[in-house]
Amino acid sequence: MSEASTGAAAIEGSKRALHRVLLHRRDSIGSAYHVLTFESEKAIAVGAGQFAMVRSETWGAAPLLPRPMSLLTGGHRPSILIKVVGEGTRRMAVASSGEPFLLLAPLGKPWAKVPDGARPVLVAGGVGVAPLLYLARALSEEGSGAKALALYGGRTAADLPLERELAAVSEVRVATEDGSRGTKGRVTALLEAALDEARVHNQAIKVYTCGPHGMMAAVAAMCASRGAPCEVSLETPMGCGYGVCLGCPVPRKAGGYLYACTEGPCIDAAAIAWGGEDAGALAGHGALAPKAGGQGS
Amino acid sequence: MSGVDLSVKVGSLELKNPILTASGTFGYALEYDDFFDVSELGGICTKGLSLLPRAGNKPDRIAETAAGMLNAIGLANVGVEAFCTEKLPRLRERKVTVIANIFATTIPDFVALAERVDREEGVAAVELNVSCPNVDKGGLEFGVDPAAAARVTEAVRKATRLPVWVKMSPEAGDLRGVGIACQEAGADALTAINTIRGLSIDVRTWRPRIANRTGGLSGPALKPIALRMVWELSRAVKIPVIGIGGIANAEDAVEFLLAGATAVQVGTASFADPLAAKKTLDGLAAYCAERGIAARDLIGKMVG
């Protein structure tokens, strides 16, 4: 991951384009997670939190659609974190060095910058760590302000990919549902404690979160009730990733829908109708891979 | 590749080449500014336009299936007024050949839509969506019944100077009958085919994988069916047929031309690759150049 810094400081990213890249290396993390690192002739300037639509040229007519994946790194060595959950990620998980892929990138809105004086608190669930690790690295590289606090939750100790990499650039606290690592319980309990601490120390914070829908909804609700600003990286099925298929609607608090690919994925949690009548459909039953390779295929 | 004649005539409308993009898969074409110059294409069909903006269906709206996808977007669109005032002027500047795809639930609304786009410069034709499977009413029922399809076509024909294309549903029991009825009612061309309704179920949750339950199947899975229908339809009518259904590259486009299509639309392929239409065009030019033929020489030339 020595190339991690490449492009990390880029803001707003560059013009989106279709990049033909070769798989440089695939690193397995346990049985379910892999980091795919590509070789791109052209440097891809990525803003923290932006994503790519990823498809192998070897797939032919199936799987048909590219998979939305948060970028872990950009530049000449763009990389993604995947969790094997369906046919697309299963193929990615057995891809060999040299396999040609198409990367449509950079896509979507990056994370908003940390407000002056606020400490960034990153709340990650499993594979949702990807856009937050990018952010933590970018903040660490910038070197201004307080070190980010990262709260990282997973079902078991095996569901905390890239924890070490995260720890290199932030202060990490871990929770697992089965207690096999860190605090036993949910990551939202860690967030509650962090919000309490911040209040005691009169420290302004800004929460950034990415993970399963239920987790993000809980984080958003907790932040809203505590008056803490919160930004989420939306996880929905996506067809195209660039605003034409209209397959990634998310209920907007003001009514109607916003589209995760162009108005997100990074967006103020307060803009979303988390408990809306439509929200159930966002709870990870998506047929396609939610961005960041969470619960889909 | 200069010197290759790719131009085709769809009725009175001359297109610089037969490669178009399909409604609902190409936005309003402005989304492609980062990727390529869409004015190079024969034309673009807009997202289906309704009189008022539509928010579209609840999520989830799309699901991938074997070599295809289901969608039930619900015709989310900006509305014809916003299209005419915000999108069309920019398309005009770019000299894009624009086919306005319009959708309504009643004949008077179809007429109003046609009249609205007729008032604008820079619309080359209207395409009537009488075959959307994903809305409560007004979608399919016009498209599966020859008499109803003819009534819509005739009313719109009288309301506009623009060429009128009618988008056929594969769910019509008598596709040729619907096509002939539209022809008699004054249609200038037929677009075939729209998606066909499908279903996919999540075995973990036992729920349909899209909220609308059923959705329209598109992509390569649809291609042999679409090709057969274009072949049958083009032999049954005198007006041009525009082929659509799973076209992802030049070989697919050539197949549709050979089957009898005068032009083709690239659809779902644009999701996987925003340059799919452009690559299809370049591939067709190369195909014709190698053989020393014009694109129109392929139309309906299937042997046997």
Side-chain angles (χ1 to χ4, degrees):
Chain A
M1 292 293 157
S2 58
E3 300 89 353
S5 62
T6 314
I11 39 144
E12 280 298 324
S14 59
K15 214 164 99 163
R16 58 196 185 178
L18 189 68
H19 299 271
R20 188 173 186 274
V21 299
L22 299 178
L23 183 62
H24 174 60
R25 54 182 294 166
R26 176 172 53 77
D27 297 288
S28 305
I29 307 170
S31 55
Y33 300 92
H34 302 259
V35 171
L36 272 62
T37 306
F38 302 98
E39 239 180 283
S40 175
E41 203 168 295
K42 215 176 144 198
I44 305 174
V46 177
Q50 287 189 299
F51 71 101
M53 294 300 282
V54 182
R55 191 176 190 279
S56 168
E57 282 196 321
T58 68
W59 289 357
L64 179 66
L65 298 170
R67 297 328 197 222
M69 297 286 170
S70 280
L71 287 156
L72 267 181
T73 56
H76 290 287
R77 286 280 190 276
S79 63
I80 57 172
L81 169 67
I82 66 158
K83 179 183 183 183
V84 179
V85 287
E87 183 58 18
T89 46
R90 194 187 63 72
R91 303 259 192 126
M92 288 183 189
V94 296
S96 307
S97 297
E99 184 168 324
F101 278 77
L102 291 174
L103 245 61
L104 183 63
L107 298 171
K109 297 263 191 291
W111 296 115
K113 73 187 268 293
V114 183
D116 285 344
R119 183 178 193 198
V121 176
L122 320 182
V123 185
V127 75
V129 72
L132 295 167
L133 176 54
Y134 198 115
L135 177 61
R137 282 173 171 158
L139 292 172
S140 165
E141 225 171 87
E142 265 173 38
S144 57
K147 196 174 188 186
L149 172 63
L151 311 177
Y152 194 5
R155 226 162 33 79
T156 73
D159 297 304
L160 299 165
L162 302 176
E163 183 197 340
R164 211 155 25 99
E165 286 77 0
L166 190 61
V169 287
S170 63
E171 175 195 341
V172 177
R173 297 176 195 168
V174 167
T176 52
E177 288 177 37
D178 69 351
S180 55
R181 181 157 175 78
T183 310
K184 184 172 180 355
R186 302 203 162 192
V187 72
T188 39
L190 299 180
L191 175 60
E192 188 155 35
L195 291 168
D196 287 343
E197 276 172 44
R199 177 176 298 172
V200 169
H201 295 108
N202 205 19
Q203 166 69 58
I205 64 164
K206 164 88 185 266
V207 174
Y208 298 86
T209 185
C210 185
H213 176 85
M215 185 205 92
M216 289 199 290
V219 168
M222 189 177 287
C223 289
S225 73
R226 301 291 203 97
C230 174
E231 210 176 316
V232 300
S233 177
L234 296 166
E235 300 260 320
T236 76
M238 282 184 192
C240 69
Y242 61 93
V244 298
C245 81
L246 308 182
C248 61
V250 174
R252 193 194 294 273
K253 189 171 257 171
Y257 300 104
L258 57 85
Y259 290 97
C261 69
T262 49
E263 294 167 86
C266 300
I267 190 165
D268 185 352
I272 311 295
W274 292 99
E277 58 162 321
D278 300 337
L282 298 175
H285 304 309
L288 307 176
K291 180 196 57 56
Q295 299 76 35
S297 58
Chain B
M1 248 164 293
S2 59
V4 183
D5 182 2
L6 296 178
S7 68
V8 293
K9 279 188 84 172
V10 178
S12 59
L13 178 63
E14 177 132 0
L15 300 176
K16 59 173 91 71
N17 62 68
I19 308 301
L20 314 170
T21 56
S23 177
T25 65
F26 209 69
Y28 305 97
L30 300 165
E31 293 87 342
Y32 290 79
D33 277 355
D34 287 349
F35 303 126
F36 72 103
D37 177 3
V38 296
S39 72
E40 288 179 31
L41 299 175
I44 67 102
C45 298
T46 65
K47 177 73 189 160
L49 302 168
S50 47
L51 278 179
L52 296 174
R54 291 174 61 105
N57 291 337
K58 288 181 195 175
D60 290 337
R61 293 180 180 176
I62 56 174
E64 181 159 338
T65 56
M69 66 179 283
L70 296 175
N71 87 79
I73 304 302
L75 290 165
N77 79 99
V78 297
V80 70
E81 201 52 48
F83 171 76
C84 289
T85 55
E86 292 162 26
K87 311 286 186 188
L88 190 57
R90 295 162 66 194
L91 292 167
R92 260 197 311 259
E93 269 172 34
R94 290 162 175 74
K95 300 190 180 349
V96 178
T97 302
V98 176
I99 292 92
N101 182 288
I102 59 176
F103 165 80
T105 57
T106 67
I107 291 176
D109 283 0
F110 265 113
V111 168
L113 281 161
E115 286 174 345
R116 180 66 190 87
V117 296
D118 186 83
R119 293 210 302 273
E120 296 292 331
E121 286 294 313
V123 177
V126 290
E127 183 177 62
L128 311 185
N129 182 357
V130 293
S131 45
C132 178
N134 299 322
V135 289
D136 289 342
K137 57 177 237 179
L140 267 177
E141 58 261 45
F142 284 122
V144 295
D145 172 30
R151 279 198 300 276
V152 182
T153 305
E154 189 178 11
V156 172
R157 172 68 287 156
K158 285 178 179 157
T160 178
R161 70 198 149 93
L162 296 170
V164 176
W165 302 0
V166 186
K167 194 162 177 179
M168 300 280 106
S169 171
E171 307 214 22
D174 177 14
L175 184 72
R176 282 174 286 197
V178 174
I180 290 165
C182 291
Q183 173 180 271
E184 302 307 312
D188 296 273
L190 305 173
T191 302
I193 55 177
N194 208 323
T195 58
I196 187 163
R197 279 174 304 168
L199 175 67
S200 178
I201 302 172
D202 185 330
V203 296
R204 289 171 302 160
T205 62
W206 299 11
R207 289 172 180 278
R209 288 164 73 213
I210 48 182
N212 190 55
R213 299 200 285 262
T214 61
L217 176 67
S218 66
L222 200 62
K223 199 186 101 185
I225 298 170
L227 201 57
R228 186 265 297 173
M229 288 184 160
V230 164
W231 175 64
E232 286 182 352
L233 194 60
S234 65
R235 287 151 40 113
V237 298
K238 297 182 193 73
I239 54 178
V241 173
I242 294 151
I244 165 175
I247 298 171
N249 54 46
E251 289 72 27
D252 295 336
V254 168
E255 275 193 81
F256 274 84
L257 294 174
L258 290 171
T262 300
V264 300
Q265 297 180 359
V266 176
T268 300
S270 293
F271 296 161
D273 178 354
L275 294 163
K278 162 78 174 148
K279 289 173 181 172
T280 301
L281 172 58
D282 292 347
L284 178 67
Y287 182 93
C288 290
E290 272 168 33
R291 287 161 182 78
I293 57 173
R296 78 178 77 85
D297 296 335
L298 293 165
I299 299 169
K301 294 294 168 56
M302 181 176 84
V303 177

